[in-house]
DNA sequence: CTCTCCTTGGCAACCGGTTGACAAAATGTT
DNA sequence: AACATTTTGTCAACCGGTTGCCAAGGAGAG
């Protein structure tokens, strides 16, 4: 129909003839209106505003719609209303299994609420993240930021345009879902103290990571409480590789127990220590964070402070849905979810006690 | 502006006032046209049809656009053209790490091509999958199906409406990206034969899985070639749990080497066997498929036939992009990517030789 | 200095729904 | 039976771009 017809069309703009406007399934409300003998706007109301149309007409229209195999055109709807029935999710790194569960949780509740999830990655860069966020913001009804790297102000700025939910970080004025690390860390540190450890080292994550800072805070204060020494070292990157690289410094620190920013670091560290002939947990105890997929594949399986990441994703999506449905509290409150220690084999009693 | 104003608005339809049509950033081509003193259609052309407008006017318009911080409204564009700059990806199970590389690969090339990726999950159900696919088809320019569970005909049906690319399955008439298992399997079986094994058991995946069938074919013929016995057993589900459950049957089979449909099964099996005091690989060699994240976390690390899943995702996205740009071959050809054996610790010489 | 031909810009219709304003019909009131 | 009120449906404008068609303007040719 809308075909160029002219064969002289240029190359760069060419394509798609094969798929252009297939006959089927593109019935419009006008077709329905004609079939049902009513006005298009009546069709529109019947299909989206329950109760605005008499039961009889309603039925007539619904039947016609079913007959014609009608589906709304999302763009036509989005244009005047701005509603898209789509939620966006931006994660720092799709490779990082920490986000697996978040994605899954968000996708599940989005779908359950008849929304679709759009996914983008920021490659751990604040600039890329902001670009992706801005781009998405145009096409989604709400945006979830998982462990965002951009500044608080930038986040608040985004939140001024569309509902935004943040995971793994607390930003004033924006709805957040944050695992409350204290319980889990408390359990971990008490367990280490009970097993004869006196000095704990924390392997930090990326500097801009809000969560890494919270975890270090938590470790420090829990250690103080339990009369343990706590020192902190930095990592180059929050990956298995980064964990390997941290091994030397860990040994140099003289600590007998390690808490690391995440499980990936913990796993890398454990691999490297074991390769160097060090027994885990007999000589060094290792505790990770998050309980990611695969944390129990290691030998010994990794002890870790579990964050309910799937729940975080799901809650964040639910927050957006609530906001979009108008049933959300006025003030942006932070939702805290519990963390807990999952004791596996990588932590335990110190054998070669100091 | 478009505010209801009437406070009597009903509850269920209420929301969003806070975010309605923020003043900023919604400059339109009309605003630009006014600012540049030209017609809106000229602006449209300047912004999308290179060369259709004189350099001078072009510059004028671009400056005005930059000035006003203009961004096209994707919906307004999608409405008349049908183009959305969006690609859809449907995976069977977001939890399954097999798909993470695929997602990542697809997301990366989609983004590189200025497309956005939409993600949906089918929960391993053909019906859900079809629903999700249909839903997506309305809003994307192309669709990637990863390990689809629906029928060939259903897939071809979808492909009639919009470009479709399939990963991990071959469907006649549809563009596919399929790891060619033979090389990897050949290497694996030869390696097992060389290490003194005589009987191999294959743990199958879900019955509807095309790939599981291919792998079994490959195992059988490679074993024939190397004069090994090959038997097949079924699994309840393609997960770690499923692998555990398969352990009994594996032992009962009398085989000394296992190839399992995927790494998850292999890992579960290994855990269960080790728990029963069986040495891997001394008593039983285990080989998985895919080389998923975490496959090297185990002790011993898992030997596996690696499929370049990231590449599959990336290639599938590229196929769609090509098709959309009109630079794709007429006939739908299947792209085969190589697999290779990654030898780690879970396979090796049989010690208690038969 | 005309007369083509080509480039460039403008007009207006269109994509497919949504929605405020209003009129017609149905219902209830006195 | 006449009037007030509510329900139901229609009209028409609008969302923000895209694009076929046409005309004005400029360049080049004769």
């Amino acid at each position: 129909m809308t075909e160029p017809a002219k064969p002289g069309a240029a190359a760069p703009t060419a394509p798609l003839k094969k798929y252009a406007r297939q006959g089927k399934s593109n019935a419009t409300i006008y077709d329905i209106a004609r079939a049902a003998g009513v006005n298009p706007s009546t069709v529109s109301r019947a299909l989206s505003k329950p109760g605005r149309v008499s039961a009889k007409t309603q039925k007539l229209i619904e039947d016609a719609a079913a007959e014609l195999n009608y589906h709304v055109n999302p763009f036509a709807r989005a244009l005047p209303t701005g509603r898209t029935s789509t939620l966006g999710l931006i994660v720092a790194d799709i490779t990082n299994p920490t986000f697996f569960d978040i994605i899954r949780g968000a996708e599940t509740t989005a779908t359950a609420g008849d929304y679709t999830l759009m996914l983008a990655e920021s490659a751990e860069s604040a600039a890329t993240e902001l670009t992706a966020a801005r781009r998405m913001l145009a096409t989604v009804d709400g945006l979830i930021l998982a462990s965002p790297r951009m500044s608080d102000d930038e986040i608040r700025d985004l939140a001024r345009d569309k509902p935004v939910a943040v995971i793994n970080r607390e930003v004033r004025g924006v709805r957040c879902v944050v695992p409350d690390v204290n319980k889990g860390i408390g359990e971990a540190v008490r367990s280490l103290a009970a097993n004869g450890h006196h000095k704990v080292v924390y392997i930090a994550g990326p500097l801009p990571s809000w969560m890494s800072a919270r975890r270090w805070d938590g470790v420090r204060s829990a250690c103080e409480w339990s009369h343990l020494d706590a020192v902190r070292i930095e990592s180059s990157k929050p990956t298995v590789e980064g964990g390997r690289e941290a091994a030397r410094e860990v040994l140099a620190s003289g600590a007998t127990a390690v808490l690391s920013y995440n499980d990936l670091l913990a796993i890398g560290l454990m691999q490297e220590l074991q390769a160097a002939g060090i027994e885990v947990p007999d000589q060094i105890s290792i505790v990770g964070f998050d309980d990611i997929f695969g944390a129990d594949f290691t030998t010994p399986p990794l002890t870790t402070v579990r964050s309910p990441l799937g729940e975080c994703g799901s809650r964040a999506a639910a927050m957006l849905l609530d906001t979009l449905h108008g049933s959300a509290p006025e003030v942006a409150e932070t939702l805290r979810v519990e963390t807990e220690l999952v004791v596996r084999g990588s932590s335990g009693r110190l054998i070669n006690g100091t």
Side-chain angles (χ1 to χ4, degrees), chain A:
Chain A
M1 278 169 197
T2 348
E3 216 72 317
K6 273 275 191 57
T13 347
L16 255 196
K17 55 179 184 312
K18 192 177 151 195
Y19 301 100
R21 309 224 163 275
Q22 281 292 324
K24 53 192 302 189
S25 108
N26 43 8
T28 72
I29 55 169
Y30 297 91
D31 300 330
I32 298 179
R34 203 175 323 119
V38 298
N39 190 282
S41 55
T42 304
V43 176
S44 173
R45 292 207 171 86
L47 264 24
S48 47
K49 297 258 165 53
R52 182 64 224 284
V53 146
S54 75
K56 213 178 56 190
T57 322
Q58 180 83 28
K59 173 111 175 45
L60 211 59
I61 290 173
E62 278 171 1
D63 289 353
E67 171 78 22
L68 295 169
N69 176 241
Y70 170 82
H71 295 290
V72 286
N73 179 324
F75 307 112
R77 172 172 289 173
L79 189 46
T81 62
R83 273 181 264 123
T84 66
S85 295
T86 291
L87 259 30
L89 170 61
I90 297 182
V91 300
D93 174 10
I94 304 197
T95 284
N96 186 330
T98 306
F99 297 109
F100 291 13
D101 284 329
I102 293 182
I103 297 174
R104 183 185 170 65
E107 207 274 345
T108 305
T109 59
T111 302
D114 250 309
Y115 274 68
T116 312
L117 190 73
M118 301 196 56
L119 182 68
E121 179 186 37
S122 73
E124 293 274 3
S125 140
T128 315
E129 187 174 61
L130 190 56
T131 311
R134 275 278 160 224
R135 169 133 72 121
M136 274 208 159
L137 216 56
T139 55
V140 300
D141 288 347
L143 190 61
I144 303 174
L145 266 21
S147 307
R149 301 291 183 237
M150 58 185 132
S151 75
D152 280 18
D153 279 339
E154 287 167 330
I155 293 174
R156 273 189 289 263
D157 229 54
L158 294 170
R160 210 165 300 125
D161 283 9
K162 296 261 179 81
V164 168
V166 175
I167 296 176
N168 265 350
R169 174 157 156 188
E170 206 169 351
V171 180
R172 279 188 64 84
V174 180
R175 281 175 180 68
C176 301
V177 186
V178 180
D180 182 1
V181 290
N182 290 322
K183 173 166 169 267
I185 291 180
E187 291 174 9
V189 169
R190 278 196 301 278
S191 147
L192 291 173
N195 277 307
H197 295 271
H198 293 107
K199 185 168 184 181
V200 168
V201 59
Y202 173 74
I203 309 181
L207 259 1
S209 164
W210 182 89
M211 188 47 88
S212 178
R214 292 295 74 65
R215 287 173 180 175
W216 168 231
D217 289 350
V219 169
R220 208 165 29 171
S221 71
C223 283
E224 206 164 307
W225 190 258
S226 293
H227 304 292
L228 301 193
D229 271 2
V231 299
R232 162 182 170 136
I233 66 178
E234 304 302 321
S235 63
S236 58
K237 46 186 181 292
T239 62
V240 171
E241 175 64 19
R244 285 222 180 82
E245 291 172 10
R248 248 205 20 241
E249 267 195 89
V250 166
L251 290 177
S253 76
T256 58
V258 183
L259 278 94
S260 73
Y261 164 64
N262 69 14
D263 287 342
L264 254 19
L265 283 169
I267 290 169
L269 173 68
M270 186 155 73
Q271 289 178 346
E272 188 70 14
L273 292 180
Q274 289 175 331
I278 293 167
E279 293 292 328
V280 177
D282 294 353
Q283 294 174 265
I284 289 193
S285 281
I286 299 180
V287 179
F289 273 93
D290 293 341
D291 193 19
I292 61 169
F293 169 87
D296 54 343
F297 290 177
T298 56
T299 306
L302 191 66
T303 296
T304 185
V305 177
R306 169 187 296 154
S307 303
L309 263 7
E311 188 184 343
C312 290
S314 169
R315 292 306 191 95
M319 275 181 173
L320 293 182
L321 260 26
D322 284 352
T323 307
L324 292 169
H325 295 144
S327 58
E330 254 321 293
V331 296
E333 280 191 355
T334 294
L335 179 67
R336 283 172 210 289
V337 296
E338 279 299 342
T339 59
E340 56 171 342
L341 182 68
V342 180
V343 182
R344 299 209 181 92
S346 70
S347 69
R349 176 148 294 279
L350 186 58
I351 303 291
N352 292 351
T354 28

